[in-house]
């Protein structure tokens, strides 16, 4: 009796791809070879992904989506302040990375370091920046409207850079249960949020306005 063919899905292709990379220590040479090995047609493959490289991008974006789904299961999550939401995201995200550590380390080390892996991480970056924008609170946001767009971009870039540095630290962490990464996450996020303290920014803007007015009207 013929074996019933498993229903194909985006998640299934991702799983097959990760398995291939781990077993062969390299990514598939072509869609044709990958499809043939896994008993699927190229047409089936292309109904979910346009290229092999697009699978690599999707894997990291799926880690993001799974992280958000897990966070939203916590009924208290929505009441968290921004710092707590970022901390929760990082702890959950790196738990998922750790569960897939062999693949993630192999994939990123192929490019030398996560800082040079922008192609693979481009989908993650877009999703993460949107996440950061959504959780910016009024306590963080400057009251100076003309500087809000600039501040939002600065917060996105600082948060993304913090995440990249954490990925690099996590990749190099050899401590039991990767416990040093947990410490790094908390300390780095606390430091990042110190930089987000807008009280000095608003004060600096007000001081700048004062100096400008004094120079203009004192002549």
């Amino acid at each position: 009796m013929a074996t019933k063919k498993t229903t194909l899905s985006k998640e299934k292709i991702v799983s097959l791809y990760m398995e291939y990379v781990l077993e062969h220590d390299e990514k598939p040479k072509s869609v044709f070879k990958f499809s043939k090995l896994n008993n699927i047609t190229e047409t089936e493959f292309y109904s979910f992904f346009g290229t092999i490289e697009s699978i690599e991008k999707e894997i990291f974006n799926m880690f993001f989506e799974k992280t958000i789904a897990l966070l939203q299961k916590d009924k208290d999550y929505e009441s968290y302040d921004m710092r707590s939401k970022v901390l929760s995201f990082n702890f959950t995200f790196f738990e998922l990375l750790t569960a897939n550590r062999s693949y993630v380390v192999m994939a990123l080390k192929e490019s030398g370091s996560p800082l040079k892996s922008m192609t693979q991480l481009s989908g993650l970056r877009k999703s993460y920046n949107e996440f950061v924008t959504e959780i910016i609170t009024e306590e963080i946001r400057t009251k100076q409207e003309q500087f809000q767009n600039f501040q939002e971009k600065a917060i996105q870039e600082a948060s993304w850079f913090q995440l990249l540095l954490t990925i690099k630290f996590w990749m190099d962490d050899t401590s039991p249960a990767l416990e040093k990464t947990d410490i790094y996450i908390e300390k780095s996020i606390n430091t990042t949020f110190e930089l987000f303290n807008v009280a000095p920014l608003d004060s600096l803007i007000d001081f700048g306005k004062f100096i400008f007015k004094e120079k203009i009207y004192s002549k």
Side-chain angles (χ1 to χ4, degrees), residues 43-97:
T43 300
E44 288 175 314
F45 177 93
Y46 287 122
S47 67
F48 295 98
F49 294 102
T51 62
I52 292 293
E53 289 70 25
S54 62
I55 303 179
E56 297 174 329
K57 294 181 185 179
E58 183 61 25
I59 288 171
F60 288 95
N61 201 48
M62 286 175 68
F63 288 144
F64 172 86
E65 292 173 351
K66 180 64 174 177
T67 298
I68 296 299
L70 290 170
L71 291 176
Q72 291 176 343
K73 288 183 179 180
D74 181 356
K75 64 182 188 322
D76 297 322
Y77 172 74
E78 289 303 325
S79 64
Y80 291 170
D81 61 16
M82 184 179 178
R83 186 194 303 245
S84 296
K85 285 182 177 179
V86 173
L87 277 169
S88 295
F89 176 92
N90 273 256
F91 284 130
T92 305
F93 182 73
F94 281 95
E95 283 180 8
L96 290 176
L97 290 194

Side-chain angles (χ1 to χ4, degrees), residues 140-155:
I140 297 293
R141 196 182 298 276
T142 178
K143 303 303 185 291
Q144 308 289 340
E145 290 186 8
Q146 65 269 45
F147 288 93
Q148 286 180 1
N149 289 337
F150 169 80
Q151 185 198 32
E152 182 178 293
K153 186 66 175 176
I155 290 175

Side-chain angles (χ1 to χ4, degrees), residues 95-112:
E95 283 180 8
L96 290 176
L97 290 194
T98 299
N100 297 275
R101 184 175 173 85
S102 295
Y103 171 81
V104 174
V105 171
M106 183 182 296
L108 293 181
K109 280 192 173 180
E110 182 184 17
S111 300

